[in-house]
Amino acid sequence: MDERQTAPRAYEIDSEAADAAHFVATACDPARSVVVEACAGSGKTWLLVARILRLLLAGAEPSEILAITFTRKAAQEMRERLLHLLHELALAADEQVARILIERGIDERNVPAMLPLARGLYERVLRSPQALSIDTFHSWFARLLQIAPLASGVPHGYALTEATSELQADAYSRFMRSVNDKDGEAVREALIELYELASDGTVRRLLDAFLDKRAEWWACAQCGDPMDWLCELCGEDGEHDARLSLWDDKALLQRILRIASLLGQGTNTNQKRATAIELVVSAGASLASFDALALQFFDADGKPRGNGAGKGSLMKVLQAQLGEDGVPAFEREFEEVGLALKRLQSRSAEKTVIRLNRALFTAGAAYLDMYQSVKAEQRVFDFADLEWQAYRLLSNEEHAAYLQSRLDARYRHVLLDEFQDTNPLQWSIVQAWLSAYGSDHERPSVFIVGDPKQSIYRFRRAEPRVFTAARDQLMAQGADFLRTNQTRRNAQGIVDVLNAGFAQNPIFQPQTTLSPQAGAVWRLPLARRDAADKTAWSPAQ
């Protein structure tokens, strides 16, 4: 971090203009690292471009700035908006330039001194021998690999491919043929176990998902046998069926027998249930006894059984023995015991989890090896390879230092856009890059902007919780945290529906809007195909 930074702040914007100005001034302060959580339509790209402008005005060279986003289109838009802004500053009237600077957090008293600097930025950026870097994550990773040291083991001359479906289909076909080889016995047995635990289609999806998570698999395998970690995570439940532990839980058994005792004083139906409960409890520990007991408390869909506690003889018994609130107290206890049995059922799946993952790790690793061989034959890399190789390079202190020395300039400012779509490995790469700078004084300023509610790249392993982890880590290192939930994109009616839909989501903060329009949400009728015309669609009746 820059030594000029002051104490970190957490700040949330509301509708007041003064607060908005303070928010922008803090977010764009070149001397600060900042994490911004900003909702859709709140001006994230505007804020990124404003931050870059302020960095340039503070004396940063274009080559010292690295901005990373997720798509080439977003990177191009950011570049175009920055150049358009600099062009406007070069040619606009002084009053307009002053307004632009003040909007982006420049103190009004400092505007006269900033005017000549602002007017010269367009030419300065265009003439810079080393361009400002606005990249996607993967183009940045590719650049790192291009200058990788020979000793790193990163193969040179490989082409990047986005079309992996044919490669994957070829690898799967070869993999399935290879299990019949004489040295494929272990993989064959693993596949057989997978088919026993899941359907044919599910097994294929599991193997393809394993392939998609290969970078995480490699990272995990570097730290030892992943099965050791999984078994430790499952604990005793991975070795012993948790359902059988019921008979060791004396307190829970007493609660169950107490329920049976009360039911036994009710109707004939209640008495039959009481007898069934007592029989399976006294029969001793067995899976059959547990399943029979569970069926007395909830049905196959997990819904609690009814006991008619609010009427007849059972109601009188409950009120006589438990007081006026005896009926609701009994119903709560009956439901809570059922939930306790469900938890034991859930925990009993841990043994199956271990079996399935042990088989998947064996078969998936062989499938992955085949996929990597197919790519090696065609001398191609995919995005996961880029991430993994970049992680390997930057996790090695010697290689990380070499990469930084080979770059034309050391980056002093890093900006990360749409951070909610970052996956854990990408954030680990950024962390390794920042750590390679050494002391806090040498590290670049960091600016992160994103919105966990808008994470849409789960198919690329995006994890919105990475935003929270990065925020907490950077704040511990002195960064500010800012949040704005004001959208300029949607009217109030849209925002109201959005807030209602996300109300139960723990990562969601209710939005407000700057739009004066009322807005509306329409639910259109379903469409159905007209039977007489296969090309026509009409509203469903």
Side-chain angles (χ1 to χ4, degrees), residues 5-82:
Q5 289 185 350
T6 57
R9 294 171 286 184
Y11 186 80
E12 185 163 350
I13 191 173
D14 61 24
S15 58
E16 296 297 328
D19 284 341
H22 180 65
F23 181 95
V24 172
T26 302
C28 296
D29 186 348
R32 289 184 167 275
S33 288
V34 184
V35 179
V36 179
E37 181 181 328
C39 69
S42 60
K44 290 190 289 292
T45 304
W46 183 94
L47 197 61
L48 276 160
V49 172
R51 171 89 178 187
I52 295 174
L53 171 62
R54 290 289 306 277
L55 291 171
L56 293 170
L57 286 171
E61 293 296 328
S63 59
E64 295 177 336
I65 299 172
L66 171 64
I68 297 177
T69 188
F70 274 82
T71 65
R72 287 188 288 268
K73 180 180 179 182
Q76 182 62 25
E77 179 187 0
M78 194 186 305
R79 185 181 300 277
E80 289 175 354
R81 289 176 68 166
L82 175 64

Side-chain angles (χ1 to χ4, degrees), residues 390-463:
Y391 175 77
R392 283 184 60 246
L393 285 170
L394 292 174
S395 297
N396 181 300
E397 293 182 4
E398 182 180 349
H399 292 160
Y402 174 86
L403 290 175
Q404 288 186 339
S405 67
R406 283 291 310 275
L407 290 173
D408 292 326
R410 289 166 63 89
Y411 294 120
R412 300 301 305 151
H413 308 281
V414 177
L415 301 91
L416 303 172
D417 188 18
E418 302 293 356
F419 196 79
Q420 73 277 353
D421 288 318
T422 303
N423 66 50
L425 192 63
Q426 290 170 339
W427 172 233
S428 296
I429 294 169
V430 174
Q431 286 179 289
W433 174 261
L434 296 176
S435 297
Y437 279 85
S439 68
D440 289 345
H441 174 64
E442 295 176 333
R443 291 183 185 179
S445 71
V446 180
F447 182 81
I448 286 177
V449 62
D451 181 11
K453 303 184 296 298
Q454 296 184 69
S455 183
I456 60 174
Y457 283 96
R458 294 302 292 267
F459 63 94
R460 288 188 181 175
R461 313 186 327 278
E463 173 51 69

Side-chain angles (χ1 to χ4, degrees), residues 318-320 322-328:
L318 296 176
Q319 290 177 341
L322 304 178
E324 287 190 19
D325 296 331
V327 171

Side-chain angles (χ1 to χ4, degrees), residues 297-354:
F297 284 86
F298 49 85
D299 60 22
D301 294 326
K303 295 180 180 178
R305 298 285 187 186
N307 294 299
K311 59 184 179 181
S313 58
L314 182 58
M315 180 182 70
K316 295 178 181 178
V317 169
L318 296 176
Q319 290 177 341
Q321 297 194 28
L322 304 178
E324 287 190 19
D325 296 331
V327 171
F330 175 82
E331 290 177 336
R332 283 196 303 272
E333 175 69 356
F334 189 87
E335 187 171 347
E336 287 175 5
V337 168
L339 290 173
L341 295 176
K342 286 181 182 179
R343 285 192 290 270
L344 291 174
Q345 272 188 338
S346 177
R347 286 171 51 192
S348 70
E350 299 295 81
K351 289 185 68 175
T352 303
V353 167
I354 288 180

Side-chain angles (χ1 to χ4, degrees), residues 90-104:
L91 300 179
D94 286 351
E95 294 79 8
Q96 185 175 350
V97 174
R99 177 180 55 79
I100 291 173
L101 296 179
I102 293 170
E103 286 176 349
R104 286 153 180 81

